Amino acid sequence: MRHFPPRRIVCLTEETVETLYLLGEQDRIVGVSGYAVRPTQVRREKPRVSAFVSADIAKILALEPDLVLAFSDLQAGIAADLVREGVDVHVFNQRDVAGILAMIRTLGALVGAAVRAEELAQGFERRLAAIAATPRASPQPKVYFEEWDDPLISGIGWVSELIEVAGGEDVFPELRRQQSAKDRIVSADAVREAAPDVILASWCGKKVVPARIRQRDGWSEIPAVRDDRIVEIKSTIILQPGPAALTDGLDAIVKALWEQRR
């Protein structure tokens, strides 16, 4: 039997978990991704049923979900397995700030909380606008965001946009619309030639090692390396396309670009 709004929801990525908690609809969640860490109580409140590209289908089915929320082509295989088992699945595909806001509004509608979702999204929109309008010193710092270190992968769409909201200039803005990580691979020479003032790094769940960045051939004269402006941003607050990126992630970028200037 299907219910509206769905009473039992499994979230295979963390941004839908955080959004449901912010909407006050967390009691509907019966299973989450192992990567879900926001809010902190989710780790003790909700059973873990998946990684990112793999999931325990039997465990999910045992939870008898009315709805499973997934993300992107990377979870298409999991989604297909669940659909074949008769489960309703909604797959989000947001890759930019507008997409994140649309996800919040859509998720609100799916759980019968459209008004609260609209208020939440508008609050984020006001926050982004206020930060973007903050007077900053000139010139804008040039920023290279490194999502992975081997090969070098530059930041995805929402990350690039948030760098600009924070008052920085992404050195590879032309790559922001590339959904696939393989299409955002850059060469060490290209980064050197771009001469970023700040390097922001978030190695997709792996701890960033600034010394490795500094030791790359020919990088010693990059302003960010020379001036020791290599800053790690935790992947949990910047590499998930949801509320975390618009709040703590954006704040971390602002801090790296402006409060840590030498």
Side-chain angles (χ1 to χ4, degrees), residues 164-182:
E164 292 182 355
V165 170
E169 177 189 344
D170 182 4
V171 296
F172 297 117
E174 70 281 2
L175 298 181
R176 71 169 59 169
R177 299 300 170 206
Q178 300 298 329
Q179 295 189 17
S180 173
K182 66 181 174 57

Side-chain angles (χ1 to χ4, degrees), residues 83-237:
V83 169
R84 280 190 281 268
E85 294 290 342
V87 178
D88 285 355
V89 181
H90 185 99
V91 183
F92 288 102
N93 232 331
Q94 71 275 18
R95 297 306 208 296
D96 54 20
V97 170
I100 293 172
L101 295 168
M103 177 275 292
I104 292 168
R105 290 178 165 108
T106 301
L107 183 50
L110 286 171
V111 299
V115 173
R116 270 173 289 149
E118 182 62 31
E119 291 171 351
L120 182 63
Q122 287 186 11
F124 286 139
E125 287 171 337
R126 287 192 295 271
R127 186 178 201 277
L128 292 166
I131 292 173
T134 302
R136 308 284 186 194
S138 294
Q140 285 182 298
K142 294 191 294 181
V143 182
Y144 164 55
F145 187 95
E146 186 168 288
E147 189 176 301
W148 193 247
D149 62 324
D150 185 21
L152 304 183
I153 297 175
S154 67
I156 198 167
W158 71 85
V159 176
S160 177
E161 290 178 338
L162 292 175
I163 287 169
E164 292 182 355
V165 170
E169 177 189 344
D170 182 4
V171 296
F172 297 117
E174 70 281 2
L175 298 181
R176 71 169 59 169
R177 299 300 170 206
Q178 300 298 329
Q179 295 189 17
S180 173
K182 66 181 174 57
D183 294 326
R184 287 181 279 112
I185 293 173
V186 297
S187 69
D189 286 346
V191 178
R192 192 176 68 244
E193 290 166 11
D197 300 300
V198 182
I199 294 174
L200 303 178
S202 186
W203 289 352
C204 209
K206 179 174 72 173
K207 185 169 178 56
V208 171
V209 184
R212 271 195 231 154
I213 296 175
R214 287 193 289 270
Q215 291 164 3
R216 290 173 186 161
D217 189 36
W219 280 37
S220 60
E221 290 309 307
I222 292 177
V225 176
R226 185 187 63 221
D227 299 336
D228 195 24
R229 298 190 67 192
I230 302 170
V231 181
E232 177 179 17
I233 297 183
K234 299 295 185 184
S235 58
T236 52
I237 62 170

